Amino acid sequence: LFTGRLSLAEDSWLADHAVYEMVLFPGTGFLELAWAAGRALGASTVESLTLLTPLVLPERGAVRVQVSVEAPDEAGRRALSVYSRLDEDGVAGVPWRFHAMGVLSEEVTELSEKFEDLGVWPPPGAVPVDLSGLYDGLEAPGSHWGPAFQGLVEAWRSGGVVFGRVE
């Protein structure tokens, strides 16, 4: 069992990910939680991760986050679940909310031949992608993706695959 705490006062960059004025913990944050738990247990791969319920971060206060990882099955895979609840001191019975479930494994996924030269940038034979207006085009009514979520600085396309560089 792994635990942590999230709050906008301590992790202000999270406020850059909002929908209809609600700050949502990003999907990549769930992936990072799963991967960190896996690394701590010797699993090198997040084999699957399904987001079930958004994690809304309160304007004030914090939420407790819990990552539960089961014992490995016969194939070495571990089931994983992510929960949260308001971090309310002295309040008994605050329920846990189920946000995500997944599977960790020790298997290393083989890269296809397309990705063997990732040490070279830009990828050989790739064509640059114009990113002008990208983030303006991604904005949907009620959504806000602030600077912390606008890190794509270049992209290249090769054979139906898009490669990106994020800062």
Side-chain angles (χ1 to χ4, degrees):
L1 187 66
F2 300 89
T3 62
R5 185 174 185 272
L6 298 168
S7 89
L8 295 178
E10 297 167 16
D11 306 300
S12 60
W13 62 274
L14 289 169
D16 282 353
H17 192 262
V19 176
Y20 292 106
E21 299 181 21
M22 291 183 297
V23 176
L24 301 180
F25 188 63
T28 53
F30 286 105
L31 181 60
E32 182 65 27
L33 291 174
W35 194 50
R39 279 192 322 249
L41 296 170
S44 59
T45 301
V46 178
E47 195 170 289
S48 68
L49 185 65
T50 303
L51 304 182
L52 304 166
T53 308
L55 195 170
V56 179
L57 297 169
E59 288 183 35
R60 291 181 194 77
V63 294
R64 286 274 169 206
V65 179
Q66 185 179 85
V67 180
S68 173
V69 181
E70 302 294 324
D73 66 12
E74 297 157 3
R77 291 181 171 83
R78 296 173 175 265
L80 165 124
S81 300
V82 181
Y83 302 88
S84 79
R85 72 175 182 187
L86 288 176
D87 187 14
E88 308 246 349
D89 289 334
V91 177
V94 176
W96 288 94
R97 294 194 64 178
F98 184 31
H99 295 285
M101 59 189 224
V103 176
L104 302 172
S105 74
E106 296 174 11
E107 293 180 24
V108 177
T109 305
E110 293 294 321
L111 294 176
S112 81
E113 292 178 18
K114 288 184 186 179
F115 304 115
E116 286 182 359
D117 290 333
L118 286 180
V120 178
W121 191 261
V127 177
V129 174
D130 181 13
L131 299 178
S132 303
L134 171 69
Y135 290 105
D136 292 334
L138 292 176
E139 290 278 332
S143 67
H144 168 72
W145 313 116
F149 292 89
Q150 295 185 25
L152 184 63
V153 295
E154 63 181 295
W156 297 79
R157 183 181 309 275
S158 176
V161 177
V162 177
F163 300 89
R165 184 170 66 86
V166 178
E167 291 181 355

